[in-house]
Amino acid sequence: MYKLSFILVGLLIITNLPAQDVQQLRETARSFQKQGDYDNAILVLNKAAGIEPLNPDVQKELGLVYYVSRQYQKAIEVMKPLADRADADEQTFQVTALIYRGQQNFKEADRTYKAALKKFPKSGMLYAEYGDLLESKDPGLSKGIQLWEKGIEIDPEYPNNYYYATKYYLNSATDMWGLLYGEIFVNLESFTGRTTEIKHLLLEGYKKIYAFGLLTAKGKSPFEDGMLETLRKQTSLTGNGITTEILTAMRTRFVLDWNTTMSKKYPFKLFELHRQLLQEGLFDSYNQWLFGSVENISIYQAWTTAHSTEYAAFNKYQRNRLFKVPEGQYYNK
């Protein structure tokens, strides 16, 4: 009864709006969505669709609300015609594929992603989500990582490919590229729950590469060989274990060494950031934020209190800068 009265209120709102005000209807629907009231959002969007049946933005919003409310069949009835249109955009393909995944219709989801990438071959978002589909459908076949790597190469500023690739590399067999991609990810997406998740993986990843002698393999490229060799030089510092303080010392030496031997031949945005932080006296704070915040919260809080001025300067720097990865710095091939 309560839900029915809520829907009736929504209908009254609709009938009192000017018939031509589709934008206002969409805003009303979004307000209902924020409240988790998908029934009223659908009512409002259907009203808007009745006024402008050829408006693809209204249809996309309607399809998305059907999707989040798990009404997959209705959602696909709305989205499939949009995805078949010549002017279908990336988001249309994305939502359509997600609906098929919700239905466990992996064949149609696969077809949709392939069609989308044929039309948008430089979409990092599509590579990320298609890779996630393949990895969840056939785990262990390494199909997903191929797409995430391609997404990193062609769209280096999109964070999700780094996120998925980091988890793949650091959860399966600790790999240098997992360390690089994970740190790039937390600089692209610095203040979310996923940031904390990846920080934990990075700390454990550094422990594993030294504890299990994972730096002895030959790299796939001169860049990777240089990275491994420079990391090997820091092994003598690990005798008392891997802590935030030890990592800070190791990584400081790494940056100085890399800047001398490899940086001109292989410019790399992450290492350029490290060098800049060192020059500005903020590298200790950065490593505390990166590793200390997940290693031991009490020690981390004590450090930030004891170094409050330095840490405040780092926080200001971090919130005011934009970390952008340029094209042409892809070396994992």
Side-chain angles (χ1 to χ4, degrees), residues 130-164:
Y130 189 20
D132 184 47
L133 169 73
L134 295 183
E135 195 66 22
S136 60
K137 180 173 174 287
D138 296 307
L141 296 184
S142 300
K143 293 183 177 180
I145 190 60
Q146 297 173 28
L147 290 167
W148 298 325
E149 286 285 2
K150 186 65 177 178
I152 289 169
E153 180 179 8
I154 56 93
D155 192 359
E157 290 186 16
Y158 185 72
N160 283 3
N161 287 296
Y162 295 103
Y163 173 74
Y164 288 126

Side-chain angles (χ1 to χ4, degrees), residues 8-19 21 24-25 47:
L8 290 174
V9 170
L11 285 170
L12 288 173
I13 293 173
I14 295 170
T15 55
N16 287 329
L17 283 169
D21 199 354
Q24 182 60 50
L25 287 168
K47 176 68 173 179

Side-chain angles (χ1 to χ4, degrees), residues 278-292:
L278 271 172
Q279 291 171 346
E280 298 191 19
L282 301 176
F283 197 51
D284 284 2
S285 293
Y286 171 74
N287 282 283
Q288 286 290 335
W289 170 79
L290 185 61
F291 302 113

Side-chain angles (χ1 to χ4, degrees), residues 298-309:
S298 298
I299 295 176
Y300 168 69
Q301 290 172 344
W303 191 96
T304 57
T305 300
H307 301 80
S308 58
T309 302

